[in-house]
Amino acid sequence: MTKLIIDGKEIDVPAEFTLLQACEAAGAEIPRFCYHERLSIAGNCRMCLVEVKGGPKPVASCAWGVRDCRPGPKGEPPEISTKSPMVKKAREGVMEFLLINHPLDCPICDQGGECDLQDQAMGYGVDTSRFAENKRAVEDKYLGVLVKTSMNRCIQCTRCVRFAAEVCGVPEMGALGRGEDMEISTYLETALTSELQGNLVDICPVGALTSKPYAFAARPWELGKTQSIDVMDAVGSAIRVDTRGREVMRILPRVNEAINEEWISDKTRHIVDGLRSQRLDRPFVRENGKLRAATWPEAFAAIAAKVKGAAPKKIGAIAGDLAAVEEMFALKELLTKMGSANVATQDGAAFDPKAGRASYIFNPTIAGIEQADALLIVGSNPRKEAAVLNARIRKRWRSGQMKVGVIGDKADLTYGYDYLGAGTDSLGELAAGKNAFADVLKGAKTPIVLVGAGAVSRSDGAAVLALAAKLAVDVGAITDGWNGFAVLQATASKVGALDIGFAPGDGSLPLADMTKAGGLDVLFSLGADDVNVADGTFVVYIGTHGDRGAHRADVILPGAAYTEKSGIYVNTEGRAQIANRAAFPPGDAREDWAVLRALSDVLGHKLPWDSLTALRQAIFKAVPHLMRLDQIEAGDGAAIKALASKGGSVDKAAFKSPVADFYLTNPIARASAVMAECSRLASGQLLTAAE
């Protein structure tokens, strides 16, 4: 530790700190534009100037290390001042220079009310300017569907350039020209291709980069703000849902160091218009091959008539990707009362809840990636399946302390890796020690074997999972202080479903039998849009959008989207979280658990709770760890050793990620015009602004 005196206050800080970090540790406020704690240091805005005693001029605190400060003549600690007249005058001068060319757009700027330049000009600037010359004009740039540019406002802090290169791993932005002619641009003015580009809007300290879909939609002070959880993937990123009246206006990230740091994916941020489009707002019943609007009693009566004539073993339920724990628990209880155990999620049944949590969660945790020194990715494309988690892998890879190997799709993951093969043959060779990467895994202190949906969603998924578990045990990834067996789930509902036992078990039909001809008489589909149910099955669809599932349904019961209900979700690392209600469902739509409770009464199998609180008490009684919000109930390493011994025959086909199109993975995303345009761009149909 190094001793410093900051504004007369003595403080001990690590020698590797910058002066800016040291000043903040002492409680001083340091303005900045180019500095960002998650990006490399640029030192080019000069707003963070401080005075070092004995120095001839102020220094940029973001680029000046604590170890570079000299002690006084008698060995006394270096003295730093953040409020001296020299510092005040220097900051006023810097702000005056920044505003020479900055347009007076504040009344019409989309960043108004959330602009760092606006705030710091008030706090550290002066109220007059000595410059009467014409301001420079810069042509706006085309960056794609999501980011709108007003480059006259750019102060060339280069945060966007560093973010694209360092965090996204797609270095598409840079500075062209020199001096007054310098401009920030993409090369050849093509659209950005990163799945994290929406974060550029958050880190831009001025209004140069703003959200194109949200442009001129609302002002920040008009919005109600609700803390919630993202369900577009299984990462469970912390988000804030901003609403005006009944309408969701935008979604922003919240800081959560354990999960998403302060980033969210573009799908998380921009599916907002999908929450308004193609919504189911009333029940429908199919008559003579066509769906017609109906009342709740009519819809319930149609279901009751079918259930009455069906054998219990011919009734089943499938949960979709966005289902919360509450409605899955309620549906499972309803089927149990009717004498059926046929429940499954729509993405296969490789996991056995009885094998223990460790067999289906991301045991090292997302933050634990930063401790890993070797990573094997099996059957996963984390860039598409969990973009924020992929950024964490890249962060660790950039440190030079982790080697990565991949078995599966040969894709651009934004970091370098050793490509080991495409399928189970390569995994078997690695397990047998016939590949050089096996030595890397064995020589690592904290290796991770990451198994993705591409490996476990196949018919031989259980055997592949056992093979990967055996490899993890053999290379020493399971020790007393480290569990390196990591399952990267692709959907928000999966871990919660496995926790409550919403999966095929003894005496129940597997998913393939439930959807084939003659498999079931009545199927309850809880937002399961990606399964093909054979003709002859009576399908009751409980969901939010007029997607594939609703087109196949015989009765539609309108439910609530994740922003319209309070629901428990469990992320891929086994962390229970709550998505809070920010708005209300449209029309006659109701929360899914309430729909099931009302339906159970009509079916003569009344569920024993009349409120969400009572339902949750029943869930917590059955699965106690779900009540410990934002905590991870760790898996037992012994469960992985037991899983490794199961074996099974595997298919030789190559692993293929189930996420073919990052932007269109669920009903909400498929209803979004913004996501549709992003998808067209990503597929190469819209390459440049000119085209």
Side-chain angles (χ1 to χ4, degrees):
M1 301 291 274
T2 303
K3 211 177 281 297
L4 292 176
I5 298 173
I6 298 173
D7 292 337
K9 178 181 176 182
E10 195 171 284
I11 185 171
D12 283 322
V13 295
E16 61 270 15
F17 265 31
T18 62
L19 272 189
L20 190 149
Q21 291 170 304
C23 291
E24 290 199 327
E29 185 179 296
I30 306 293
R32 83 293 297 270
F33 292 114
C34 69
Y35 176 80
H36 193 284
E37 54 268 23
R38 302 188 200 279
L39 304 176
S40 60
I41 292 166
N44 55 9
C45 78
R46 320 310 284 180
M47 195 64 206
C48 62
L49 295 171
V50 297
E51 181 181 1
V52 179
K53 186 176 179 182
K57 59 183 181 180
V59 301
S61 60
C62 71
W64 193 279
V66 164
R67 57 164 58 93
D68 297 326
C69 298
R70 295 181 179 179
K74 296 180 181 176
E76 58 267 35
E79 286 189 41
I80 315 296
S81 176
T82 67
K83 299 174 183 173
S84 67
M86 179 201 278
V87 172
K88 185 174 183 295
K89 186 178 179 184
R91 288 177 182 166
E92 287 174 353
V94 169
M95 183 59 72
E96 193 174 358
F97 273 116
L98 285 174
L99 295 176
I100 290 171
N101 283 314
H102 198 78
L104 297 175
D105 277 352
C106 293
I108 56 130
C109 177
D110 228 26
Q111 198 87 343
E114 299 173 313
C115 175
D116 291 350
L117 185 65
Q118 207 174 41
D119 296 341
Q120 292 182 36
M122 294 295 289
Y124 302 100
V126 288
D127 59 353
T128 57
S129 175
R130 291 171 284 179
F131 291 86
E133 290 79 13
N134 290 333
K135 294 178 182 284
R136 78 170 191 156
V138 182
E139 194 175 325
D140 291 343
K141 305 293 187 290
Y142 172 77
L143 298 185
V145 182
L146 304 179
V147 182
K148 176 173 173 278
T149 60
S150 297
M151 300 313 287
N152 283 343
R153 302 171 189 156
C154 179
I155 61 170
Q156 294 155 6
C157 67
T158 68
R159 275 188 185 182
C160 54
V161 177
R162 286 173 284 146
F163 176 81
E166 295 165 17
V167 178
C168 296
V170 189
E172 297 171 309
M173 299 190 73
L176 306 174
R178 299 178 68 184
E180 191 183 21
D181 296 324
M182 179 174 161
E183 297 180 17
I184 302 294
S185 175
T186 54
Y187 304 114
L188 306 178
E189 284 208 32
T190 52
L192 298 172
T193 60
S194 171
E195 296 79 11
L196 299 169
Q197 62 181 279
N199 296 290
L200 291 170
V201 173
D202 292 338
I203 64 169
C204 181
V206 295
L209 304 178
T210 54
S211 173
K212 195 176 275 189
Y214 176 70
F216 309 118
R219 287 296 196 185
W221 52 84
E222 302 173 346
L223 304 174
K225 301 168 178 64
T226 307
Q227 295 191 352
S228 191
I229 296 300
D230 170 50
V231 300
M232 293 296 111
D233 53 33
V235 175
S237 302
I239 59 172
R240 192 185 86 196
V241 182
D242 287 1
T243 51
R244 185 172 60 191
R246 295 176 65 96
E247 192 174 3
V248 175
M249 300 302 293
R250 64 174 179 178
I251 292 172
L252 295 176
R254 287 187 292 124
V255 176
N256 188 329
E257 298 294 348
I259 301 173
N260 60 309
E261 297 183 297
E262 62 185 80
W263 319 123
I264 53 174
S265 75
D266 294 338
K267 186 164 53 179
T268 300
R269 186 186 298 265
H270 289 294
I271 47 87
V272 170
D273 64 319
L275 290 166
R276 300 188 283 264
S277 303
Q278 299 180 26
R279 288 302 301 269
L280 300 172
D281 59 357
R282 70 191 74 176
F284 287 84
V285 174
R286 191 177 296 277
E287 286 183 358
N288 302 320
K290 290 187 177 181
L291 288 167
R292 69 161 179 87
T295 63
W296 283 102
E298 283 177 322
F300 286 168
I303 298 167
K306 276 290 178 184
V307 169
K308 192 175 180 182
K313 298 209 180 286
K314 286 283 193 173
I315 301 172
I318 301 175
D321 297 348
L322 308 182
V325 169
E326 287 88 346
E327 53 255 33
M328 289 191 288
F329 186 85
L331 186 52
K332 182 171 180 279
E333 289 295 299
L334 178 57
L335 259 70
T336 301
K337 281 179 174 288
M338 289 193 286
S340 172
N342 300 324
V343 292
T345 51
Q346 67 177 9
D347 55 349
F351 304 102
D352 180 3
K354 294 174 185 171
R357 282 196 110 210
S359 67
Y360 58 82
I361 65 171
F362 200 94
N363 293 289
T365 73
I366 294 169
I369 291 170
E370 296 191 31
Q371 300 170 30
D373 49 5
L375 170 65
L376 174 67
I377 298 173
V378 181
S380 177
N381 181 342
R383 184 174 175 183
K384 285 186 176 180
E385 293 166 28
V388 173
L389 183 141
N390 194 60
R392 184 83 75 149
I393 295 174
R394 174 176 165 77
K395 180 182 177 183
R396 179 60 175 170
W397 172 83
R398 284 186 73 235
S399 71
Q401 298 176 60
M402 181 174 79
K403 289 187 176 180
V404 182
V406 170
I407 297 176
D409 289 342
K410 194 171 187 178
D412 178 9
L413 299 180
T414 72
Y415 41 82
Y417 58 81
D418 295 337
Y419 185 65
L420 309 176
T424 51
D425 285 352
S426 304
L427 186 59
E429 286 176 12
L430 197 63
K434 295 178 183 176
N435 192 298
F437 200 79
D439 297 331
V440 172
L441 289 170
K442 286 176 181 173
K445 290 183 179 176
T446 49
I448 293 178
V449 177
L450 185 156
V451 186
V456 296
S457 59
R458 315 181 336 161
S459 57
D460 63 340
V464 174
L465 192 68
L467 185 57
K470 184 178 185 305
L471 174 64
V473 172
D474 291 347
V475 299
I478 317 296
T479 61
D480 288 344
W482 179 256
N483 186 337
F485 183 71
V487 178
L488 178 56
Q489 302 287 1
T491 62
S493 63
K494 187 69 178 185
V495 177
L498 292 166
D499 276 352
I500 63 170
F502 199 97
D506 297 334
S508 66
L509 294 174
L511 179 66
D513 289 349
M514 289 166 67
T515 54
K516 74 179 184 182
L520 293 178
D521 290 341
V522 179
L523 172 66
F524 291 91
S525 171
L526 197 58
D529 291 88
D530 296 320
V531 290
N532 296 314
V533 183
D535 292 339
T537 303
F538 185 85
V539 178
V540 179
Y541 179 77
I542 305 167
T544 57
H545 286 72
D547 204 77
R548 300 165 192 162
H551 285 272
R552 171 62 186 83
D554 294 287
V555 175
I556 295 173
L557 304 178
Y562 73 105
T563 54
E564 299 158 0
K565 62 187 175 188
S566 177
I568 296 172
Y569 290 88
V570 188
N571 79 345
T572 190
E573 57 182 355
R575 186 188 301 268
Q577 300 171 293
I578 277 204
N580 290 310
R581 182 168 63 193
F584 290 90
D588 290 337
R590 296 292 182 265
E591 292 183 37
D592 304 60
W593 75 266
V595 171
L596 290 164
R597 165 64 183 80
L599 176 61
S600 71
D601 217 352
V602 177
L603 296 178
H605 300 285
K606 186 176 177 182
L607 293 170
W609 353 271
D610 295 326
S611 68
L612 184 61
T613 304
L615 168 56
R616 282 187 175 154
Q617 284 173 347
I619 294 171
F620 298 154
K621 187 176 179 182
V623 191
H625 69 254
L626 291 179
M627 77 172 77
R628 295 189 280 278
L629 294 177
D630 208 35
Q631 294 180 37
I632 299 172
E633 183 77 9
D636 184 2
I640 297 166
K641 291 174 182 174
L643 179 65
S645 64
K646 285 192 174 179
S649 59
V650 294
D651 188 354
K652 291 192 176 183
F655 297 132
K656 191 167 182 62
S657 173
V659 182
D661 190 331
F662 169 77
Y663 297 101
L664 303 176
T665 54
N666 60 60
I668 302 175
R670 288 191 286 266
S672 165
V674 175
M675 290 295 99
E677 201 169 345
C678 286
S679 175
R680 288 198 298 273
L681 248 177
S683 63
Q685 293 176 31
L686 299 169
L687 288 176
T688 64
E691 292 175 359

